[in-house]
């Protein structure tokens, strides 16, 4: 295996979990988050020869993750969910009530606002870095942040009442 392939394997091994965490916060669904990370990593692998010349493979992967998420939300077929059989009882709670409320509220805001909030507050990115990842102007990031936080507070208020 050549040195470039070693670096690729190391990148996938080291960053897969971090990408999954961000994807899960945006999707709110484990399977969809796994698919999103898989799609992102496939794009990184396919572009590896071009990317290994860049110092910012991590930034490319993160941008690809968020752009793939937003593009997936535009597709009509994503709005429907088919179930083979309905469960007889709901799944047991595996998370704290607050975590569930936050994830449910995140799921109800727009995909762009969700992506901005995850980048800004989960991944602790600056306004500038978030703008670069999402291909937005800094003022647009600030606007999405403010509106997203307001929408998130409103949604969480509904859940906690």
């Amino acid at each position: 295996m050549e040195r470039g392939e070693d670096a690729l394997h190391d990148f996938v091994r080291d960053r897969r979990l971090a990408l999954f965490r961000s994807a899960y916060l945006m999707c709110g669904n484990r399977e969809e988050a796994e698919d999103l990370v898989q799609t992102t990593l496939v794009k990184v692998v396919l572009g590896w020869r071009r990317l290994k010349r860049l110092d910012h493979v991590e930034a490319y992967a993160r941008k690809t993750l968020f752009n793939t998420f937003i593009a997936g939300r535009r597709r009509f077929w994503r709005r429907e969910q088919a179930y083979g059989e309905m469960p007889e009882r709901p799944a047991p709670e595996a998370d704290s009530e607050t975590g569930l409320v936050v994830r449910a509220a995140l799921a109800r805001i727009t995909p762009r606002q969700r992506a901005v909030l995850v980048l800004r507050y989960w991944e602790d990115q600056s306004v500038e870095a978030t703008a670069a990842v999402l291909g937005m102007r800094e003022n647009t990031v600030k606007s999405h942040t403010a509106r997203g936080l307001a929408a998130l507070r409103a949604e969480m208020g509904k859940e906690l009442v």
Side-chain angles (χ1 to χ4, degrees), residues 22-128:
S22 294
Y24 182 78
L25 281 174
M26 287 187 299
C27 300
N29 177 297
R30 182 180 179 85
E31 291 78 21
E32 188 178 346
E34 288 172 350
D35 289 345
L36 184 58
V37 170
Q38 186 68 30
T39 301
T40 298
L41 291 175
V42 165
K43 290 177 182 182
V44 169
V45 168
L46 291 175
W48 184 253
R49 287 204 168 121
R50 178 177 48 85
L51 293 172
K52 70 181 179 181
R53 286 180 258 139
L54 301 175
D55 294 333
H56 303 290
V57 177
E58 170 86 23
Y60 174 81
R62 200 175 20 229
K63 182 173 185 169
T64 301
L65 177 78
F66 286 94
N67 287 340
T68 303
F69 167 74
I70 291 170
R73 291 295 188 232
R74 291 183 187 134
R75 295 187 187 119
F76 175 74
W77 60 267
R78 284 296 220 189
R79 297 180 194 150
E80 293 186 26
Q81 285 188 322
Y83 296 95
E85 296 178 23
M86 292 298 290
E88 291 187 25
R89 57 184 151 195
E93 287 188 34
D95 201 71
S96 71
E97 185 66 28
T98 304
L100 293 173
V101 169
V102 170
R103 282 195 294 279
L106 270 173
R108 289 190 296 270
I109 64 175
T110 68
R112 284 195 183 270
Q113 289 173 348
R114 194 176 328 154
V116 167
L117 292 180
V118 169
L119 275 168
R120 294 279 290 123
Y121 298 106
W122 175 257
E123 293 199 2
D124 200 27
Q125 296 293 316
S126 67
V127 171
E128 297 81 18

